[in-house]
Amino acid sequence: MPLPQNQRFQFINDQLRRGKAVPASVLMQGCESAERTLKEDLALMRERYDAPIRYNRRYNGYEYTYAFDLKTVELELTDQDVVALKRALATLNQFRDWAVFADFRGAVEKIEQAVRFRFAQPADSQAHIIFEAVPAGRGNDLLDQVLVACLQKKVIQFRYQKYQDSESRLRTVFPHLIKEHRNRWYVIGHEVEPTQLRVFGLDRVVDGTLEITDLSFDPPAFDAEAYFRPALGVAVYDDPPEEVILSFSREEGLRFQAQPFYPFRKEDILVNTNKEFRVRLSIIINKELEYELARLGDTVRVLSPEKLIHRLAKFHKRALKLYAKK
């Protein structure tokens, strides 16, 4: 049985890089393949990677017509590696047109070539994995500027208009980071006057008003990991996390365990039977948690605390009124 295709390509490339014509018998022996397989491999290397391979009749062997190295074969990737790379590439490709990532475009393309090589398929062949396409939203064009300001620790100014307001206001902010949530981008930073931590949706920044300034500002310390850990969403959190106990149907409980909307520990599982999955979460009670639980409908029930039960009940009652017969 011949070696795997990537290893055959590796061997052929190593032999031809030596600068001398290599007999077909040597290549077949090294690849542990028949003549037909060797010819197919050589044709694939020419087609997919523009390998300058020719047969030299004078020396009765194959050679490169000029200095060439199939660098992608140097990547030893497992199938799991390739799947992980494809996921990463799907993310990277969403941002490849950002000016701040311009220097990485070549690197992304090289990784794509390496992944295609591992799969041994043309770039335009039918995809075997499809990622969710997320349309670009309003405010995405500001990401470059805001990210540069974060990296350079510069204060930004912009006019900001909330959805419920009829007029915009000038904001002066020291940006700590940008964060995506539900396909929208937000900047989290300290507003200069008065100094307080704020979150601003980039989709609500008035077009053409954002600029990086030279204003001097010494912001309070901000620990992003500690800030976001106990809650869903991106809102400013003043309340401490509370113990929330949820009872899922068996089916929804399996889904939650496979992809929880909030992390939990093994010891937080209170009930796990054929009828119920009950779990305890230490989480800040906010609108995002309310929306997430409402989305699950009758597959989850809040057992405690009481205030979350009341909030969710009011939410469903308001929604029911929209469909009640008049």
Side-chain angles (χ1 to χ4, degrees):
M1 176 178 288
L3 296 176
Q5 189 179 67
N6 66 322
Q7 294 183 29
R8 300 199 304 270
F9 283 6
Q10 173 83 59
F11 179 80
I12 294 170
N13 179 72
D14 290 345
Q15 293 297 312
L16 301 190
R17 284 185 60 218
R18 295 180 180 181
K20 296 181 179 180
V22 183
S25 59
V26 174
L27 297 177
M28 288 188 292
Q29 182 178 1
C31 294
E32 301 178 12
S33 64
E35 182 177 8
R36 178 179 177 180
T37 301
L38 174 64
K39 289 183 177 180
E40 290 175 350
D41 286 344
L42 294 174
L44 287 172
M45 291 174 67
R46 293 190 191 100
E47 177 185 350
R48 296 177 185 172
Y49 310 108
D50 293 323
I53 301 172
R54 73 176 178 186
Y55 184 76
N56 189 322
R57 295 184 180 278
R58 180 179 179 183
Y59 295 102
N60 194 30
Y62 292 94
E63 63 183 8
Y64 282 150
T65 59
Y66 56 83
F68 180 82
D69 186 10
L70 196 63
K71 292 184 180 296
T72 52
V73 298
E74 296 176 3
L75 290 176
E76 294 292 338
L77 302 175
T78 65
D79 289 340
Q80 290 80 6
D81 294 332
V82 173
V83 171
L85 278 171
K86 274 189 165 286
R87 289 173 179 163
L89 283 169
T91 301
L92 287 171
N93 277 319
Q94 294 183 53
F95 311 117
R96 66 190 306 163
D97 292 328
W98 290 17
V100 73
F101 289 138
D103 293 340
F104 299 104
R105 288 175 189 157
V108 173
E109 290 171 358
K110 289 178 181 179
I111 295 173
E112 284 183 313
Q113 184 183 13
V115 173
R116 290 200 303 270
F117 170 76
R118 177 61 179 83
F119 269 126
Q121 63 181 22
D124 59 352
S125 65
Q126 182 180 1
H128 294 281
I129 180 169
I130 300 176
F131 294 93
E132 182 178 5
V134 180
R138 181 180 175 183
N140 285 16
D141 56 320
L142 302 176
L143 289 169
D144 279 345
Q145 283 179 276
V146 179
L147 183 55
V148 167
C150 290
L151 294 171
Q152 297 180 352
K153 301 185 184 305
K154 294 277 191 176
V155 172
I156 58 176
Q157 281 188 332
F158 52 86
R159 297 203 68 84
Y160 191 77
Q161 185 170 357
K162 296 180 180 180
Y163 290 138
Q164 66 269 28
D165 292 347
S166 58
E167 296 183 358
S168 63
R169 290 180 54 191
L170 181 65
R171 302 288 191 172
T172 304
V173 179
F174 181 92
H176 293 293
L177 57 88
I178 54 176
K179 187 177 188 296
E180 185 183 23
H181 179 62
R182 298 188 187 278
N183 302 334
R184 290 180 177 174
W185 285 95
Y186 300 81
V187 55
I188 294 89
H190 273 93
E191 194 162 20
V192 173
E193 185 64 39
T195 300
Q196 58 181 327
L197 189 66
R198 298 294 300 273
V199 175
F200 298 97
L202 294 186
D203 56 322
R204 279 155 275 177
V205 174
V206 178
D207 292 342
T209 65
L210 190 145
E211 61 179 29
I212 301 175
T213 76
D214 290 323
L215 296 175
S216 178
F217 180 67
D218 184 18
F222 176 68
D223 185 339
E225 197 279 331
Y227 174 77
F228 289 113
R229 186 194 315 121
L232 299 177
V234 294
V236 175
Y237 311 121
D238 294 324
D239 297 329
E242 300 181 50
E243 183 178 281
V244 173
I245 298 180
L246 304 176
S247 174
F248 293 90
S249 66
R250 176 59 178 170
E251 183 177 347
E252 191 60 43
L254 292 172
R255 291 195 182 98
F256 180 79
Q257 293 177 75
Q259 190 176 24
F261 62 75
Y262 190 78
F264 64 94
R265 303 166 301 174
K266 186 176 181 180
E267 52 266 36
D268 292 324
I269 299 176
L270 306 178
V271 177
N272 192 5
T273 68
N274 291 330
K275 293 184 178 181
E276 178 190 13
F277 176 77
R278 188 180 301 180
V279 65
R280 174 179 54 224
L281 304 179
S282 179
I283 186 172
I284 291 174
I285 297 175
N286 60 7
K287 282 288 186 182
E288 287 299 329
L289 176 59
E290 186 178 323
Y291 295 155
E292 185 64 34
L293 295 174
R295 181 186 66 83
L296 296 174
D298 62 354
T299 64
V300 64
R301 181 182 177 185
V302 179
L303 300 182
S304 69
E306 284 295 325
K307 70 174 185 178
L308 180 57
I309 295 174
H310 294 322
R311 286 178 60 166
L312 203 59
K314 288 182 180 179
F315 182 97
H316 286 298
K317 287 178 181 178
R318 289 194 301 270
L320 183 61
K321 286 182 180 180
L322 296 176
Y323 300 97
K325 294 182 179 180
K326 296 182 179 179

